[in-house]
Amino acid sequence: METLLEPFAFEFFRNGLWAALMVGALCGMIGVFIVLRGMSYIGHGLSHAAFGGAVLGYTLNANFYVGAVLTAFFAALLIHQLSRGGKIKPDAAIGIVTTAIFALGVALISRVRQFTQSFEAALFGNILGVTSTDLWVIGAVLVVTAVGLFLFYRPLLFSTFDREAAAVFGIPTERLQVGFSLVLALAIIAAMNIVGVTMIAAALIIPAATARLLTDSFSIMLLLSTVLGALVGVSGLYASYHFDAASGATIVLFGAGIFILVLLYHHLRERLAVHEHLHYHDGVAHAHPHTHDGDHAHRHEVPASLAAPGQGAKAQGRSSEMKVRYKKI
Amino acid sequence: MAQPLIRLEDVSAGYRHRPVFTHLSLTLDEGRFAGIVGPTGSGKTTLLNTILGTIRPHAGRVLIEGRPPGRTRSGEVGYVPQLETVDWSFPVTVEQVILMGLYVNRRWLPWPSREEKRRVAAIAEELGIAACLHHHIRDVSGGQQQRAFLARALINRPRLLVLDEPTAGVDIKTQHDVLHLLEELNRQGITILITTHDLNTVAAHLPWVICFNQGIVAEGPPREVFTRENLAATYGGELAVFDHDGHLLIAHAPATHA
């Protein structure tokens, strides 16, 4: 018991735990919108852009965080503008914009070479070096994001589902996009020092993708993803202490492990649940409750009305062993 | 005399600096049920988007009931997108899709009010989808999906209903059901504008047709507009027009191979 509670004796660990909890919840919340918009790699890209911006800001004697936030916000807007026309898809826009800004940061680092600021924490995350000021900043970003999503839940849901129709219905989709980009930039900066630029995409995507497997309701997905993000953050950090492994990596591995478990559960539930859909076999289209058993096959009771003439009692509905191929239409 | 609900005056529109059509003037009277037909790439969707205000014209004026699109009274224009563009894996139920129609009304709380729920139930009942309100949008039939999006468009009781390819990607029975429903809505006074590729559907159900190919080729009742000449000018190929027991049928002209 003492061993289990041992890490809580250290202030750096308690601070790290709070940071992991809040950053996990924050990434889980924002991740839902990112995953459903099919822009999963925006987090990965923007964190790289933020890193480039942080270096740029530092070389210009500006604040590290101001440079990072402004650059990430600018990059998010630029990605949106570039992909609006349709000729350049969002994934290509993310690749061009964010890599270019990241490259600028790397070029500056290689040129200047004398930095008092450590950029290692931003690249790989340093959850155990979290100060109480960091905690206040992360807490403020979390509150702003949660309040923003609560107040703009309805227009955000509509524009995420069907942007064009939302605009026709009078939803201010452009202004919403700008607001979302700003919140996303803030969230990425808040998470950057915790999980690191290299792992941020996973922190954003995994809780949302896991929640999507568990529910068909948007609001439940949002809640589940937030809770999962927080849970993964806390348990991953706790495990990293005992396994003496890098905290950011352990958090991501924990998330990936939960995703795999949920995926298995989802797969089994789909297979085993009795369901009904129209399908063909023996040239007859019909629907009836059945369960699946192997690829493109399912087991079910053969309705007497569908049994081929001369197949006897077995085919007339007594046997549940008949395996048939089916074609979903 | 019917008042014009949609008026386009000398409009040029397109994407970036590439106009899809130029100097287009069009008037659609209140109470019409009209279909825009034309080949792929003719600019039907651009025209629809210009009317809806999602594309700004390069030149000219677009007015919906005397006001530019986007400045119309909220909920005055209902829109049903092409079903093929919908993300069917998105986690929403039929009820949530219909509720989106009310999201234009400012309400800071995420969940629906009792009044909003009542309105959703009423429109779902009217369109015959009350039983599947709590189903995921992917798990209902094509006809029910089309009705869910129609319900979203109709929940604010719009004066103009615009549908992009409402007959695309659904079976013949669903096509007929949807068009009968639109006929009924039109009888109730809603002006309806659709785009479609299905000339026979237009001939059978719609009282007004606009043949469009980067400009208006002809407009009027299908029986007057669907002539070999107009169809050749619209589609650039030979189409045959038959009268079968009073029904107008359009088919490919027999191919003449040497």
Side-chain angles (χ1 to χ4, degrees):
Chain A
M1 192 67 189
E2 217 169 273
T3 318
L4 291 177
L5 294 176
E6 182 191 274
F8 296 100
F10 305 109
E11 192 189 355
F12 74 87
F13 186 82
R14 289 197 303 271
N15 280 353
L17 215 57
W18 277 112
L21 180 91
M22 290 192 288
V23 164
L26 181 64
C27 288
M29 216 180 271
I30 299 255
V32 169
F33 294 91
I34 289 172
V35 166
L36 292 177
R37 284 174 190 208
M39 296 181 81
S40 292
Y41 269 83
I42 193 144
H44 186 73
L46 287 186
S47 58
H48 281 72
F51 177 78
V55 178
L56 183 67
Y58 188 77
T59 50
L60 295 173
N61 290 324
N63 182 283
F64 178 92
Y65 290 104
V66 171
V69 170
L70 287 179
T71 314
F73 178 49
F74 166 74
L77 291 181
L78 198 58
I79 289 163
H80 173 64
Q81 283 301 324
L82 272 178
S83 53
R84 259 180 82 189
K87 272 195 176 175
I88 299 170
K89 299 235 178 279
D91 57 347
I94 291 168
I96 297 164
V97 173
T98 60
T99 321
I101 301 173
F102 181 65
L104 179 68
V106 172
L108 284 173
I109 284 183
S110 64
R111 216 176 128 74
V112 179
R113 287 177 196 280
Q114 287 174 333
F115 283 94
T116 47
Q117 171 91 30
S118 165
F119 290 102
E120 220 169 89
L123 271 178
F124 302 107
N126 180 19
I127 204 162
L128 300 179
V130 173
T131 62
S132 53
T133 314
D134 290 336
L135 284 181
W136 280 109
V137 171
I138 297 167
V141 174
L142 178 64
V143 170
V144 166
T145 306
V147 170
L149 293 187
F150 185 86
L151 294 179
F152 294 98
Y153 173 89
R154 290 154 66 111
L156 269 171
L157 168 58
F158 198 173
S159 68
T160 305
F161 177 55
D162 188 348
R163 193 180 155 76
E164 196 184 319
V168 174
F169 275 78
I171 303 284
T173 51
E174 288 301 314
R175 269 182 280 158
L176 269 181
Q177 180 60 40
V178 172
F180 184 75
S181 298
L182 183 60
V183 166
L184 180 60
L186 288 171
I188 281 174
I189 310 311
M192 206 162 81
N193 275 357
I194 309 302
V195 284
V197 164
T198 46
M199 310 263 181
I200 217 162
L204 280 165
I205 301 165
I206 292 175
T210 310
R212 179 66 193 93
L213 290 174
L214 290 169
T215 180
D216 267 343
S217 158
F218 180 82
S219 51
I220 296 175
M221 181 181 170
L222 191 57
L223 284 174
L224 261 179
S225 180
T226 308
V227 172
L228 268 172
L231 205 70
V232 164
V234 168
S235 49
L237 180 66
Y238 183 74
S240 78
Y241 178 88
H242 287 289
F243 291 123
D244 196 18
S247 49
T250 316
I251 290 171
V252 170
L253 285 174
F254 240 75
I258 290 177
F259 175 78
I260 291 168
L261 286 177
V262 171
L263 189 67
L264 281 172
Y265 164 74
H266 176 74
H267 190 65
L268 284 173
R269 194 179 60 173
E270 291 270 296
R271 289 250 161 166
L272 299 178
V274 175
H275 62 279
E276 191 171 332
H277 59 77
L278 193 62
H279 61 277
Y280 283 116
H281 57 74
D282 296 338
V284 183
H286 64 281
H288 53 82
H290 62 269
T291 60
H292 286 269
D293 177 24
D295 280 345
H296 305 293
H298 65 236
R299 279 175 199 278
H300 58 79
E301 294 286 341
V302 181
S305 59
L306 289 170
Q311 285 193 342
K314 188 183 176 189
Q316 286 181 12
R318 274 196 301 127
S319 170
S320 62
E321 298 303 312
M322 187 172 174
K323 237 180 173 184
V324 287
R325 297 189 71 75
Y326 82 98
K327 179 182 168 195
K328 193 175 176 189
I329 58 169
Chain B
M1 197 177 138
Q3 294 294 309
L5 191 70
I6 300 175
R7 187 191 284 275
L8 275 74
E9 295 169 357
D10 202 23
V11 170
S12 301
Y15 299 91
R16 305 259 165 182
H17 302 294
R18 186 177 58 86
V20 174
F21 54 81
T22 52
H23 305 294
L24 178 79
S25 292
L26 168 75
T27 301
L28 194 74
D29 288 340
E30 184 154 20
R32 280 243 187 271
F33 181 11
I36 305 170
V37 298
T40 306
S42 60
K44 295 191 300 288
T45 304
T46 308
L47 174 59
L48 214 63
N49 286 333
T50 309
I51 291 169
L52 290 168
T54 53
I55 289 181
R56 268 199 201 162
H58 299 160
R61 234 164 42 129
V62 181
L63 297 170
I64 310 290
E65 215 203 354
R67 280 184 289 266
R71 291 211 193 140
T72 50
R73 280 191 291 272
S74 92
E76 198 161 56
V77 180
Y79 169 62
V80 179
Q82 247 189 78
L83 285 192
E84 286 166 359
T85 64
V86 173
D87 174 5
W88 296 111
S89 64
F90 199 95
V92 277
T93 59
V94 170
E95 185 184 38
Q96 285 165 335
V97 168
I98 303 173
L99 267 169
M100 286 178 196
L102 297 171
Y103 284 0
V104 67
N105 308 324
R106 177 114 337 159
R107 178 178 154 86
W108 297 109
L109 297 174
W111 49 86
S113 66
R114 202 173 287 177
E115 169 61 12
E116 286 177 332
K117 282 210 151 201
R118 190 198 59 74
R119 284 175 68 181
V120 169
I123 192 86
E125 187 70 46
E126 218 175 300
L127 296 184
I129 48 171
C132 59
L133 272 180
H134 301 294
H135 286 62
H136 185 270
I137 189 71
R138 181 194 52 226
D139 294 337
V140 296
S141 71
Q144 289 165 329
Q145 287 170 343
Q146 187 67 270
R147 281 162 192 264
F149 284 91
L150 252 176
R152 183 178 78 177
L154 290 170
I155 198 162
N156 288 308
R157 301 282 163 200
R159 292 180 66 189
L160 171 66
L161 182 61
V162 179
L163 302 96
D164 193 7
E165 305 272 3
T167 54
V170 288
D171 60 61
I172 290 180
K173 166 89 171 62
T174 308
Q175 281 182 16
H176 281 267
D177 287 350
V178 168
L179 285 159
H180 280 301
L181 184 61
L182 293 179
E183 282 172 325
E184 178 53 37
L185 292 167
N186 180 241
R187 268 196 292 276
Q188 291 171 18
I190 299 175
T191 307
I192 300 176
L193 181 65
I194 71 169
T195 61
T196 181
H197 278 289
D198 192 342
L199 299 177
N200 288 310
T201 298
V202 172
H205 293 275
L206 272 66
W208 195 264
V209 60
I210 300 163
C211 286
F212 194 82
N213 194 347
Q214 294 176 340
I216 296 172
V217 177
E219 66 170 315
R223 200 161 274 282
E224 290 171 21
V225 167
F226 282 162
T227 62
R228 286 180 87 113
E229 296 73 29
N230 282 341
L231 292 172
T234 309
Y235 288 92
E238 278 290 293
L239 290 170
V241 183
F242 304 99
D243 191 323
H244 177 73
D245 289 344
H247 295 289
L248 208 59
L249 293 174
I250 293 105
H252 289 285
T256 48
H257 295 293

